[in-house]
């Protein structure tokens, strides 16, 4: 499974390799991958639309529940910081 699942469109500037991405990343998949590669403490920062923040909050709550239950193999903390923005 890819880290990001977006539709990729060709770019006008082939020289730089930049491309346009549309869609939404698979946030739970990304956080689980970061969780696997992190140390004893993990901090997640999120700023985005309400639905995205809720997805991140649910995933981080699951990670923290594993810490509390002792199933996390040495992880001491998962910290979540959220910010809102208004358009």
């Amino acid at each position: 499974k890819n880290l990001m699942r977006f539709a990729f469109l060709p770019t006008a500037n082939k020289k730089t390799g930049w491309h346009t991405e549309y869609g939404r990343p698979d946030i739970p998949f990304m956080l689980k991958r970061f969780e696997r590669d992190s140390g004893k403490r993990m901090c997640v920062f999120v700023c985005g639309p309400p639905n995205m923040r809720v997805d991140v909050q649910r995933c981080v709550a699951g990670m923290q529940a594993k810490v509390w239950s002792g199933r996390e193999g040495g992880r001491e903390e998962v910290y979540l910081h959220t910010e809102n923005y208004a358009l």
Side-chain angles (χ1 to χ4, degrees):
K1 188 172 184 181
N2 292 334
L3 184 59
M4 302 283 191
R5 294 185 345 189
F6 292 138
F8 295 94
L9 298 176
T11 63
N13 189 349
K14 304 277 184 200
K15 194 177 199 181
T16 64
W18 286 93
H19 54 275
T20 304
E21 300 178 2
Y22 293 94
R24 189 170 177 192
D26 185 351
I27 292 172
F29 176 78
M30 290 173 59
L31 288 175
K32 287 175 186 169
R33 182 153 184 192
F34 295 143
E35 176 186 28
R36 183 188 69 203
D37 297 335
S38 67
K40 289 187 175 196
R41 293 185 176 158
M42 180 176 177
C43 183
V44 179
F45 290 81
V46 62
C47 179
N51 289 340
M52 185 176 84
R53 287 193 326 270
V54 168
D55 285 349
V56 172
Q57 290 168 341
R58 286 182 181 149
C59 193
V60 170
M63 293 176 192
Q64 188 66 38
K66 288 191 252 177
V67 170
W68 291 336
S69 69
R71 294 181 292 152
E72 199 46 41
R75 174 144 310 119
E76 296 173 356
E77 178 183 20
V78 180
Y79 174 79
L80 175 65
H81 174 85
T82 63
E83 294 183 3
N84 299 323
Y85 72 85
L87 297 175

